Amino acid sequence: MKPHILFLVLLFTSLVFLTSCKDQGTTPPEPTIPEISDVELSAESIIVNDTVQLTVTLSTELEQEYKLRWQLTGYQTDTDSVTTETVFSWTAPRVHGNYEHSVQVVSSMGEPVSEPFLFTTEITSVPVVPEEGNKLVFSMPAGDGNSEIFTMNLDGSELTQLTTLGIHEAFEPSWSPDGKQIVFSTPYKSGFVGLALYLMNTDGTNMRPMKPTQDSTRAHPGSNPKWSPDGTKIAFTIYSEFNDNIFLYDFETDSVIQLTNHIADDQYPNWSPDSDKIVFSSKRDYYNADSMRYRSDLYTIDINEENLQRITETGFALRPNWQSGNKYISYEWSRNGNRVFYLDISSNQIHELNTNLEFEASPQWSESNELLFIHGRVDENTNSEVQVYDFSQNPPVMMERYQNIESYRLGRGFNWYHYEE
């Protein structure tokens, strides 16, 4: 072989050899894509707000090219996070129910490279154990379809019908502070076109007008009655001359006092814990405001008719309820379906409770100041339930629903009382 040809052959062979060696020294092997075989939870039973550890089991180690994507869907919850950890913590939502999880291996760029591993966790609520003596009083349709006043225990037992007014019906009951009497509204023998106010014992006996009209056996007109915490007065509204105003009945003087006098509607009075103030809903700052005239806000006023103060500016605020611990005022917001809000009195901040109910009856505070009871419709078929929120925690936590009383259509008069025999 000629020398120059031999040189070319040797040069070519050397280049092929060097290239082969270079390739073998720098090109890494293709990584093995890990597959998810299991996800273990650190607790079998999970309640709201629990912190749970999740451990993902993989077919191989999670190398630098890959990450894990964890997605969660459930009640008002939508989580999508990416992590390099195979063991991580998860805080259960504040609302009980079933939550769907999806864990998947993705590339460093976030592209899926494995099949998703799917599983479901059931989150249960903090149990509410009804104390002996806790009762509800409310208005609902009786067997003849007319609304009557009922009481029952919070566990749904001892349902008792207190009134039998038939076509006259009965609405809006409110316990006296000592639990011995109930005030309610009814058109029966009203001294005015509309509703009148009556009292009765908690067993339904001794039904009589709160105050007869002068020189008559007819009852004094009124609606939305609320007994003062000190038991000496009842606040209520009277509709006359195209508007509502708030009045007080004083047991000690057997007299009726007009508290507000405005051409706009003043409605839904409720008491401060010391019985010195009234919180109410009014349209007064929207009167003659064209498209805004249907709005309303919350106001407070001393029972001596002084110190009128506006405490919300959101509009559509109705049916306030002053917590006896003087920390919060709960109320309904009546735009695009009723919603429940509460005002933190110390910070003047307003917060919403995500009840997911289509309609809420006026929220009611328990005697312990920590529980807020809300009754509402679950769907358009009028299926309803009572939800309970624990305000000893911040933010408040929804506790167990009262399943035994879902079938009752608790009306606007839904009212809670810790009744002691």
Side-chain angles (χ1 to χ4, degrees), residues 341-398:
F341 288 79
Y342 63 96
L343 169 70
D344 187 318
I345 296 174
S346 61
S347 66
N348 203 36
Q349 296 295 309
I350 294 175
H351 308 275
E352 181 177 6
L353 285 176
N354 294 318
T355 66
N356 205 32
L357 296 173
E358 293 190 10
F359 174 82
E360 289 83 20
S362 180
Q364 301 290 324
W365 294 99
S366 71
E367 289 290 301
S368 69
N369 303 320
E370 295 180 350
L371 301 183
L372 182 67
F373 293 77
I374 301 171
H375 169 252
R377 197 174 66 217
V378 179
D379 54 41
E380 38 183 53
N381 296 321
T382 71
N383 294 321
S384 61
E385 67 185 19
V386 174
Q387 294 179 357
V388 185
Y389 288 81
D390 181 5
F391 272 73
S392 67
Q393 303 187 51
N394 187 19
V397 174
M398 187 172 76

Side-chain angles (χ1 to χ4, degrees), residues 125-393:
S125 297
V126 179
V128 174
V129 180
E131 299 176 8
E132 184 178 355
N134 287 351
K135 285 186 179 290
L136 292 173
V137 62
F138 54 96
S139 169
M140 79 170 184
D144 60 2
N146 295 308
S147 292
E148 304 285 0
I149 305 298
F150 292 79
T151 60
M152 69 178 172
N153 296 330
L154 282 185
D155 61 4
S157 63
E158 298 185 17
L159 177 68
T160 305
Q161 182 175 336
L162 301 184
T163 62
T164 53
L165 292 172
I167 59 172
H168 296 292
E169 301 191 289
F171 311 96
E172 305 168 332
S174 174
W175 293 99
S176 64
D178 61 8
K180 296 180 179 179
Q181 298 184 83
I182 294 171
V183 62
F184 64 97
S185 62
T186 174
Y188 178 67
K189 289 189 177 181
S190 173
F192 187 76
V193 176
L195 299 175
L197 297 180
Y198 278 75
L199 303 176
M200 63 180 169
N201 298 339
T202 52
D203 61 0
T205 60
N206 192 25
M207 191 181 85
R208 73 272 186 200
M210 179 193 72
K211 179 177 175 59
T213 54
Q214 188 173 7
D215 300 324
S216 171
T217 59
R218 292 188 174 274
H220 199 282
S223 62
N224 294 297
K226 293 295 179 183
W227 220 302
S228 66
D230 64 8
T232 64
K233 299 176 180 64
I234 293 175
F236 59 96
T237 59
I238 295 179
Y239 176 80
S240 62
E241 298 181 0
F242 310 106
N243 70 312
D244 283 300
N245 277 296
I246 296 172
F247 292 75
L248 305 178
Y249 172 68
D250 190 324
F251 282 94
E252 295 177 349
T253 61
D254 189 30
S255 60
V256 174
I257 305 163
Q258 184 168 353
L259 185 64
T260 68
N261 185 12
H262 196 277
I263 195 169
D265 287 329
D266 293 338
Q267 300 172 310
Y268 310 116
N270 214 302
W271 292 89
S272 65
D274 57 11
S275 300
D276 289 339
K277 290 185 177 182
I278 295 289
V279 59
F280 63 97
S281 176
S282 177
K283 296 180 173 64
R284 58 180 59 213
D285 279 302
Y286 300 104
Y287 186 72
N288 282 337
D290 299 324
S291 62
M292 299 174 66
R293 66 184 181 276
Y294 297 109
R295 299 188 182 188
S296 59
D297 272 310
L298 300 186
Y299 299 76
T300 60
I301 188 172
D302 295 345
I303 59 173
N304 60 6
E305 304 175 48
E306 296 179 353
N307 298 323
L308 177 70
Q309 293 185 8
R310 184 180 183 181
I311 62 173
T312 68
E313 297 182 2
T314 58
F316 308 102
L318 297 172
R319 298 188 178 92
N321 201 324
W322 208 320
Q323 184 213 34
S324 59
N326 204 29
K327 293 181 180 179
Y328 308 107
I329 294 175
S330 61
Y331 64 95
E332 294 178 24
W333 196 74
S334 62
R335 186 182 184 189
N336 299 327
N338 283 29
R339 295 151 65 185
V340 173
F341 288 79
Y342 63 96
L343 169 70
D344 187 318
I345 296 174
S346 61
S347 66
N348 203 36
Q349 296 295 309
I350 294 175
H351 308 275
E352 181 177 6
L353 285 176
N354 294 318
T355 66
N356 205 32
L357 296 173
E358 293 190 10
F359 174 82
E360 289 83 20
S362 180
Q364 301 290 324
W365 294 99
S366 71
E367 289 290 301
S368 69
N369 303 320
E370 295 180 350
L371 301 183
L372 182 67
F373 293 77
I374 301 171
H375 169 252
R377 197 174 66 217
V378 179
D379 54 41
E380 38 183 53
N381 296 321
T382 71
N383 294 321
S384 61
E385 67 185 19
V386 174
Q387 294 179 357
V388 185
Y389 288 81
D390 181 5
F391 272 73
S392 67
Q393 303 187 51

Side-chain angles (χ1 to χ4, degrees), residues 48 72-79 93-100 121 123 352-357 360 385 387 389 398 401:
V48 291
L72 169 70
T73 56
Y75 176 80
Q76 296 187 350
T77 300
D78 189 4
T79 301
R94 294 189 297 114
V95 180
H96 65 271
N98 290 323
Y99 290 81
E100 303 294 331
T121 53
I123 311 302
E352 181 177 6
L353 285 176
N354 294 318
T355 66
N356 205 32
L357 296 173
E360 289 83 20
E385 67 185 19
Q387 294 179 357
Y389 288 81
M398 187 172 76
R401 296 180 176 100

